[in-house]
Amino acid sequence: MISNAIKQNRLSHQQLILQNKQLQRSLDEMERINKNYLRIMRVMAHDLRNPISGITGLAAMLMVEDELSEDSKTMVKLIETTGIHSLEMINELLKTGLANENEHLVKQRIDLKSMMRDSVELLQFQAKGKHQQIIFDNNDFPIMADVNYEKIWRVINNLIVNAIKFSYQGGIIKVNIKEENNRISISVADNGIGIPDDQKDAVFEMFTPAKKNGTFGEQPFGLGLSISKKIIDLHNGKIWFENNGNKGTVFYVELPGLA
C-alpha cells in the first residue's frame, strides 16, 4: 500500500509538472500575441498621422479663402480642430504604447465647464447628422479643477461620441457637470440601446469584446472607454455607468475638486 501510494504521488507530481509546463507555454504564447497586437496598433497609428495631417493642413488653407461663407468657415474650422485632436490622440497612443500606467501627468488649472461647453458645441454638428440634440447646463459659473486638459478633453469627447453613436435618430443626450463636497461630478446620459448585463464587466477593457455597431452602423473599436478609464485613474477619479432601464445609459465621471 505504501509503495502504491508513493507511485501515485510520483505520477501526480509528474502530471502537475506537465500541466505547469503547458500553462507556461500558453502564457508565453499569449504574451507574444499581445506584443504583436500592440506592435500592429502602433504601426497603424503611426501610418494614420500623415493623412490626418494632410486633412488638417488643407482645412487650415481653406480657412483663409475669402469665398467661403461664415457657415462654411465654421465647418472647416471644426474639421481642422478635429484633425488636430485626432493627431494628439495618435501621438499619445504612440508615446504610451497604448498602456503606460507610470506616465507623469502634467496638470493645469482649467474651467471644466468651459471645456465641456466647447466639446458639446463641436459635437452638436455630429449629433445633428442623426437629428439628435445635446443638452448642456450652460450657465456662467465656472467649475475649476487641476487636470491635464488634452486627456480630460478626450474623455469628455469619448463619452459624448459614444452617446451619439449608440442613441437612436432624434434622441436627446444630456450632459451635466456639478461640484459638491469638493468633488466634481460629470454625467452623459443617452436614450440609446444600452449595455447588456453580460457585458458590463468588459466595457472598460482594452480591445474589449463588448462592442457593437452604432445605431447607424458606426464602426466600434473597443478603445475609447479603456483609454478613458486609464485617464480618470491617473487623475485619482472614478468612471462608471448605469443602465437607465430601457431608456439608455448614463456614464459618470468623478474628479477631485480644488484642495
Side-chain angles (χ1 to χ4, degrees):
M1 291 178 60
I2 295 174
S3 176
N4 288 336
I6 292 173
K7 290 180 180 179
Q8 187 64 39
N9 285 337
R10 287 176 179 173
L11 180 61
S12 298
H13 182 66
Q14 291 173 351
Q15 291 175 339
L16 182 60
I17 292 175
L18 179 61
Q19 290 173 355
N20 286 338
K21 288 182 178 179
Q22 291 173 340
L23 178 60
Q24 187 61 50
R25 283 196 294 267
S26 298
L27 290 174
D28 292 342
E29 180 65 13
M30 289 178 62
E31 184 177 0
R32 184 188 67 80
I33 293 172
N34 186 53
K35 287 181 179 179
N36 285 338
Y37 203 177
L38 293 176
R39 180 180 58 82
I40 292 170
M41 288 298 298
R42 284 193 289 268
V43 170
M44 291 175 62
H46 181 274
D47 290 346
L48 279 171
R49 287 193 299 182
N50 288 336
I52 294 177
S53 295
I55 293 170
T56 304
L58 289 172
M61 292 174 60
L62 287 172
M63 283 293 297
V64 300
E65 294 291 332
D66 296 332
E67 292 81 3
L68 289 180
S69 67
E70 288 303 315
D71 288 342
S72 295
K73 286 185 177 181
T74 300
M75 294 294 292
V76 172
K77 182 61 178 177
L78 288 172
I79 293 172
E80 181 187 23
T81 302
T82 303
I84 290 171
H85 287 305
S86 297
L87 284 172
E88 290 173 350
M89 181 180 69
I90 288 173
N91 289 333
E92 188 69 19
L93 286 173
L94 289 170
K95 184 177 71 174
T96 62
L98 298 176
N100 183 1
E101 298 179 356
N102 297 319
E103 177 184 4
H104 176 64
L105 195 68
V106 178
K107 297 180 180 180
Q108 59 264 42
R109 185 159 297 181
I110 66 166
D111 180 1
L112 280 177
K113 183 174 287 186
S114 177
M115 170 200 280
M116 292 177 64
R117 187 182 302 119
D118 290 343
S119 179
V120 167
E121 184 177 349
L122 174 67
L123 293 172
Q124 285 283 12
F125 289 93
Q126 185 172 337
K128 286 180 180 178
K130 296 177 74 172
H131 304 287
Q132 298 167 346
Q133 182 182 4
I134 307 175
I135 298 175
F136 179 56
D137 179 19
N138 194 12
N139 62 43
D140 295 328
F141 296 102
I143 295 181
M144 308 301 295
D146 292 331
V147 298
N148 180 283
Y149 183 94
E150 187 275 328
K151 291 183 184 301
I152 296 298
W153 170 274
R154 189 192 307 178
V155 172
I156 302 303
N157 274 23
N158 277 341
L159 295 181
I160 298 176
V161 166
N162 277 355
I164 295 170
K165 182 186 298 184
F166 297 113
S167 289
Y168 297 104
Q169 184 171 350
I172 294 176
I173 297 162
K174 295 181 179 180
V175 180
N176 187 44
I177 180 172
K178 62 182 180 180
E179 186 173 17
E180 193 173 46
N181 298 326
N182 204 36
R183 302 294 291 180
I184 298 170
S185 299
I186 297 168
S187 64
V188 178
D190 64 56
N191 55 358
I193 58 181
I195 299 174
D197 288 340
D198 60 353
Q199 295 182 356
K200 284 184 176 181
D201 296 332
V203 294
F204 292 110
E205 294 178 5
M206 183 73 75
F207 309 115
T208 174
K211 55 185 179 181
K212 50 191 172 183
N213 290 337
T215 54
F216 266 24
E218 298 97 327
Q219 180 69 35
F221 297 103
L223 283 170
L225 288 177
S226 173
I227 292 172
S228 296
K229 186 177 186 308
K230 289 182 181 298
I231 290 171
I232 297 303
D233 287 346
L234 284 171
H235 284 81
N236 297 317
K238 296 189 297 183
I239 182 170
W240 72 99
F241 71 91
E242 295 176 0
N243 276 325
N244 189 15
N246 295 322
K247 300 179 181 179
T249 308
V250 185
F251 274 87
Y252 297 95
V253 171
E254 185 178 272
L255 292 169
L258 295 179

